[in-house]
Amino acid sequence: MIWQTARFSIDLTRPRVMGIVNVTPDSFSDGGRHGSTATALQHCEQLLKDGADILDIGGESTRPGSTAVPLEQELARVLPVVRAAVSLGAPVSVDTCKPEVMQAVLDVGADIVNDIRALRQPGAAAVVAAHPRCGVCLMHMHRDPQTMQLAPMHGDVLSQVRSFLEMAAHDLLALGVANHRIVVDPGIGFGKTPEQNFALLAKQPALLAMGYPLLVGWSRKSSLGAATGLALEQRLVPSVTAAVLAVERGASVVRVHDVRETVAALAVWAALQQAG
């Protein structure tokens, strides 16, 4: 299975690790640590040394209760980092929902658009469709970052998430985007209760039946804190465990903060698969 992106055809026959690069002062886990272009680029380089296959750069926090960032501010945060990161020899993804940001980063060489709103903003789908090769990740989110955890989803989470992602992918295909450019993300933590998040993990194979590779982000999420009682800064082991469990259930890409530890854990998982 291949994920086609702007510059790279990513082989998904083995799981890939996407390293998180937050160029923000307020992200829920590492806000402010990589807020300048220089420190963000250093972080990109370290993640690649640690074994990241893909870099995911974001300039707007989407933690519960976060406020939207003006367009010019997001561009000022993200563009200099993307310009530098595309020279590092790895696929560069940009986490944004603004079509203007999508266009700008694709123009300077980014490979993937990773959109928590699944291209629902006016003009976003057109930007991706107009590009001949870029990859795209369509994520499910209930409501928006400002309100999603105030009123989480009700009902059967699996059927709702699957229906939404199928429709989002169908709409993109109708615009001429090839299916091998698309991956989908169930949106762990985005408007869902801990019980719903773990239900998505338990029933993850049903999402694979849609026919698209699955990208999953459990890293340091509050559901891991709910299950373990551990504070944010103590969630390394639960995060790595969740990543391995997601891969075991068929995820092709895991989006993580702790790249080195996740890569090591997946090496043990891979050795077990080869032994079997």
Side-chain angles (χ1 to χ4, degrees), residues 103-122:
Q103 187 65 63
V105 298
L106 290 172
D107 286 346
V108 298
D111 299 285
I112 298 162
V113 169
N114 181 15
D115 185 3
I116 63 168
R117 298 182 188 271
L119 304 181
R120 287 180 291 170
Q121 294 284 78

Side-chain angles (χ1 to χ4, degrees), residues 5-244:
T5 73
R7 298 177 298 155
F8 298 87
S9 297
I10 304 173
D11 181 2
L12 298 181
T13 57
R14 72 169 178 86
R16 300 292 176 168
V17 174
M18 174 182 275
I20 298 170
V21 184
N22 286 321
V23 194
T24 58
D26 57 345
S27 291
F28 83 97
S29 177
D30 55 359
R33 292 184 59 190
H34 317 299
S36 72
T37 299
T39 56
L41 187 58
Q42 289 172 358
H43 188 51
C44 289
E45 293 170 340
Q46 185 60 54
L47 292 178
L48 293 177
K49 290 178 184 177
D50 290 343
D53 300 293
I54 305 166
L55 298 170
D56 189 48
I57 299 167
E60 180 177 34
S61 174
T62 54
R63 78 189 194 285
S66 61
T67 56
V69 172
L71 171 61
E72 293 305 319
Q73 187 174 14
E74 186 177 347
L75 285 170
R77 290 175 178 177
V78 168
L79 267 180
V81 181
V82 174
R83 284 195 185 100
V86 295
S87 68
L88 298 178
V92 174
S93 167
V94 178
D95 182 357
T96 185
C97 60
K98 296 183 179 69
E100 299 90 347
V101 176
M102 296 175 191
Q103 187 65 63
V105 298
L106 290 172
D107 286 346
V108 298
D111 299 285
I112 298 162
V113 169
N114 181 15
D115 185 3
I116 63 168
R117 298 182 188 271
L119 304 181
R120 287 180 291 170
Q121 294 284 78
V127 170
V128 171
H131 195 283
R133 290 170 65 88
C134 76
V136 60
C137 179
L138 304 171
M139 196 195 81
H140 176 275
M141 176 173 61
H142 176 65
R143 300 171 70 95
D144 56 52
Q146 291 74 43
T147 62
M148 60 190 180
Q149 294 307 120
L150 298 178
M153 294 175 65
H154 293 287
D156 181 1
V157 66
L158 179 65
S159 63
Q160 293 181 65
V161 168
R162 176 169 171 165
S163 176
F164 173 87
L165 293 174
E166 285 178 329
M167 182 58 69
H170 177 271
D171 290 347
L172 202 50
L173 293 174
L175 294 176
V177 175
N179 59 2
H180 58 267
R181 292 171 55 184
I182 301 170
V183 306
V184 296
D185 179 348
I188 300 301
F190 284 81
K192 304 170 183 75
T193 66
E195 293 77 14
Q196 289 171 332
N197 290 321
F198 284 109
L200 286 171
L201 178 58
K203 301 174 182 178
Q204 189 174 281
L207 297 175
L208 297 172
M210 291 186 290
Y212 297 99
L214 201 62
L215 185 155
V216 181
W218 275 91
S219 188
R220 304 181 185 175
K221 293 287 178 73
S222 60
S223 288
L224 300 176
T228 64
L230 295 175
L232 176 63
E233 64 276 8
Q234 299 173 316
R235 295 176 193 161
L236 170 60
V237 172
S239 296
V240 173
T241 301
V244 173

Side-chain angles (χ1 to χ4, degrees), residues 251-273:
S252 295
V253 184
V254 286
R255 182 179 182 272
V256 306
H257 298 87
D258 304 294
V259 167
R260 181 179 56 183
E261 294 84 356
T262 304
V263 168
L266 289 175
V268 175
W269 175 86
L272 179 62
Q273 306 310 301

